[in-house]
Amino acid sequence: MSSQRASTPDESVREISRAVRDGERSAESVTRAYLDRIDALDDRVGSFLTVDRDGAVEYARKLDRRREAGATLGPLAGVPVAVKDNLCTNGLRTTCASRLLESFVPPYDATVVSRLRDADAVVIGKTNLDEFAMGSSTENSGFQPTRNPWDLERVPGGSSGGSAAAVAAGFAPAALGSDTGGSIRQPAALCGVVGLKPTYGRVSRYGLVAFASSLDQVGPITYDVDDAALLFSVIAGPDPHDDTTAAPTATNGSESSPDADRSDLHGLRIGIPREYFPDSLPEDVSLPVRAAIDRLRGAGADVREVTLPHTNVAIATYYVLANSEASSNLARFDAVRYGRRIEHDSDSLAMMAKSRSAGLGPEVQRRIMLGTFALSAGYYDAYYGKALAVRDRLRADFESAFDDVDALVAPTSPLVAFPLGSKVSDPVSMYLCDILTASANLAGIPALSVPCRDAHPLPVGLQILGPRFSEERLFRIGRAHEELSAAPLPRSPIAMASAEGDAS
Ligand code: GLN
């Protein structure tokens, strides 16, 4: 195998899968290169909770043997993928970053994981998150914080912070995350990588440990838009195990041919939601985003201002609904069927209370209490019922905007990566991180975050939102944004160190 070209940490998913399919590189050598980088540098970043060294190498070897026997490998041939640890992996520990599930080993794969495997990807490990995906910084993990590969004193965002950091550090060319109120897009933005939250129902939630079932979606985190589109094509599609999945309608299918000029946006109407550029938006975010919008206009897009008038109540609505659903979904972790049990000599209720108090962290407990309160008799109409009504208004805001424009463009996060510890004891300030992302989940629409390559010194994400099932349009705008940015995608200091490690 010594004639093989070494695998570098800046390779795309497309390059790896092509090279493995063509036999230029073995899946095993690619997998080992990424595992070596994780071994060398992840103790600085903390992006993985479990690295499946033996399982990954064995799986890669099987792919190599199949190829040697004449099989044509799938679209993700030999591509190492990091999977957020709230997605079930058969035989591999799945903790949701909760002490309560420290030793939970699922007996099945989530649909997205089995689709990765069917496409011949190699699952290399499980990434850190805020416990049960509740947070915006990955500091709410019951095990460890994850650090931002661009600045190790800062957060990677959350809750899919481990997945975004792993890609930004060069530990995996692609990862899966989940997004309930921004958890794919915000960490992607803060780590300088691409993240997609698909249309609600586009990707199966079977085997995703539920946080808020009416909002949760699984999506890819990658270096560039083409890789995100490739991963998305593998994981998307109806699933008999999730009745909320649907196929896109024909009119909303692919609309940019691969040969078209990627930076030509003539005929496309792009809306800039006024409310997503508040006066308080710091310049380190607003300037690169505005520069990107100017470039889209220069490429022929018809750019106009639009309004989403209920944006100011999105956070309150999101936190009532998400917490209400969480309080119900997390009731299953009662230490009877699921969860580490603290033995107790009196009754079973006391056992459950003790186990949940010991196993669940403070943010999860706060949310269960808030959600239980919002759903309780006498308060249901005032909180839960009201939030459902506001959700309809938020959805209607987007519908009327999309009567006039094809897509919306805005920042992904109101802040660049913030210092570790700076918000974790102030839940409201943490919740405000979701102001530009939660509405897309409430409305069920897709949204893509793509790095602004000229942001400096910390990454900034450009968010592109569209009507339901318009993922292909978002990819088209995201590709144009990439093409129009003269600079190549900058690499995080940890990814550079990964590359040096390969050379030495
Ligand atoms: N930050 C949001 C929250 O804490 C979103 C989390 C998510 O999307 N999983 O709920």
Side-chain angles (χ1 to χ4, degrees):
M1 295 284 163
S2 55
S3 66
Q4 294 202 347
R5 195 151 57 85
S7 176
T8 60
D10 58 356
E11 280 174 313
S12 69
V13 168
R14 299 167 327 275
E15 284 163 344
I16 295 172
S17 59
R18 191 206 49 76
V20 171
R21 244 191 334 268
D22 292 353
E24 277 170 31
R25 222 173 290 164
S26 68
E28 182 180 349
S29 70
V30 173
T31 301
R32 285 191 188 279
Y34 280 94
L35 289 171
D36 288 349
R37 278 178 214 125
I38 295 169
D39 284 346
L41 290 165
D42 196 39
D43 58 345
R44 294 202 220 161
V45 180
S47 50
F48 284 89
L49 292 175
T50 304
V51 179
D52 188 19
R53 289 185 181 76
D54 296 343
V57 168
E58 192 189 323
Y59 199 83
R61 277 192 188 142
K62 272 195 204 139
L63 295 175
D64 291 332
R65 280 200 296 269
R66 270 182 43 219
R67 198 198 60 79
E68 283 154 18
T72 303
L73 296 182
L76 299 180
V79 175
V81 180
V83 174
K84 188 176 182 179
D85 206 23
N86 60 351
L87 287 161
C88 288
T89 39
N90 188 5
L92 187 63
R93 187 173 87 118
T94 298
T95 67
C96 297
S98 181
R99 291 278 170 193
L100 197 76
L101 292 182
E102 200 161 17
S103 46
F104 172 58
V105 178
Y108 71 105
D109 277 333
T111 295
V112 288
V113 172
S114 49
R115 288 191 179 168
L116 289 180
R117 297 197 207 274
D118 289 348
D120 294 330
V122 177
V123 172
I124 46 167
K126 306 296 295 289
T127 54
N128 197 22
L129 62 149
D130 289 296
E131 186 174 4
F132 288 105
M134 296 175 180
S136 307
S137 69
T138 315
E139 292 165 294
N140 294 338
S141 166
F143 300 105
Q144 65 201 33
T146 296
R147 292 165 182 272
N148 191 312
W150 289 86
D151 177 343
L152 297 173
E153 297 310 314
R154 291 176 188 265
V155 302
S159 65
S160 312
S163 286
V167 174
F171 299 155
L176 293 185
S178 67
D179 191 314
T180 305
S183 279
I184 290 174
R185 290 160 286 158
Q186 185 256 14
L190 271 47
C191 290
V193 292
V194 172
L196 171 73
K197 186 214 75 86
T199 305
Y200 184 79
R202 199 72 207 269
V203 176
S204 169
R205 291 176 294 108
Y206 179 72
L208 165 68
V209 178
F211 164 8
S213 310
S214 78
L215 302 162
D216 299 338
Q217 269 294 288
V218 180
I221 296 177
T222 56
Y223 287 132
D224 66 17
V225 174
D226 279 337
D227 279 356
L230 177 56
L231 264 276
F232 174 68
S233 72
V234 166
I235 62 172
D239 175 14
H241 292 302
D242 176 356
D243 285 340
T244 63
T245 51
T249 54
T251 48
N252 284 325
S254 171
E255 52 177 79
S256 67
S257 103
D259 325 315
D261 175 355
R262 291 160 73 102
S263 57
D264 182 4
L265 292 179
H266 283 92
L268 201 79
R269 298 162 304 166
I270 292 182
I272 309 300
R274 184 184 311 153
E275 294 79 3
Y276 282 45
F277 291 83
D279 291 340
S280 57
L281 194 68
E283 283 202 339
D284 51 1
V285 175
S286 66
L287 292 179
V289 169
R290 289 200 185 279
I293 292 170
D294 286 343
R295 289 194 296 267
L296 297 177
R297 188 186 284 113
D302 169 3
V303 178
R304 42 178 107 158
E305 195 176 88
V306 298
T307 175
L308 298 170
H310 295 91
T311 302
N312 61 337
V313 287
I315 290 290
T317 308
Y318 168 79
Y319 276 94
V320 170
L321 294 177
N323 291 349
S324 297
E325 294 187 32
S327 74
S328 164
N329 274 326
L330 269 61
R332 74 193 64 168
F333 303 112
D334 55 9
V336 176
R337 281 176 309 159
Y338 297 109
R340 189 179 54 172
R341 185 178 307 185
I342 306 287
E343 288 301 344
H344 202 258
D345 51 16
S346 61
D347 57 308
S348 55
L349 276 180
M351 182 282 287
M352 289 178 203
K354 217 171 160 113
S355 303
R356 281 164 71 86
S357 301
L360 298 172
E363 181 61 26
V364 175
Q365 294 195 26
R366 172 164 35 241
R367 292 186 187 217
I368 291 173
M369 286 189 277
L370 287 169
T372 304
F373 179 78
L375 291 175
S376 57
Y379 295 98
Y380 183 96
D381 290 338
Y383 294 103
Y384 187 73
K386 185 76 140 274
L388 283 181
V390 180
R391 182 179 190 169
D392 284 341
R393 301 279 179 97
L394 281 155
R395 211 180 265 141
D397 279 359
F398 281 109
E399 275 163 17
S400 33
F402 291 132
D403 283 342
D404 293 331
V405 294
D406 302 304
L408 302 170
V409 168
T412 305
S413 159
L415 293 172
V416 295
F418 41 92
L420 283 152
S422 63
K423 288 184 186 288
V424 72
S425 50
D426 180 358
V428 173
S429 116
M430 192 71 91
Y431 298 167
L432 287 172
C433 294
D434 308 329
I435 180 77
L436 306 177
T437 46
S439 297
N441 302 75
L442 291 163
I445 61 171
L448 177 71
S449 182
V450 191
C452 294
R453 298 184 176 188
D454 42 2
H456 185 76
L458 290 167
V460 168
L462 180 78
Q463 186 176 202
I464 309 166
L465 308 96
R468 286 173 59 75
F469 297 117
S470 68
E471 279 85 356
E472 292 303 329
R473 188 182 304 163
L474 306 189
F475 294 143
R476 174 182 170 203
I477 300 169
R479 287 183 184 114
H481 164 78
E482 289 177 338
E483 204 82 2
L484 294 162
S485 328
L489 185 62
R491 295 286 163 185
S492 73
I494 294 287
M496 311 280 251
S498 286
E500 275 161 29
D502 291 342
S504 62

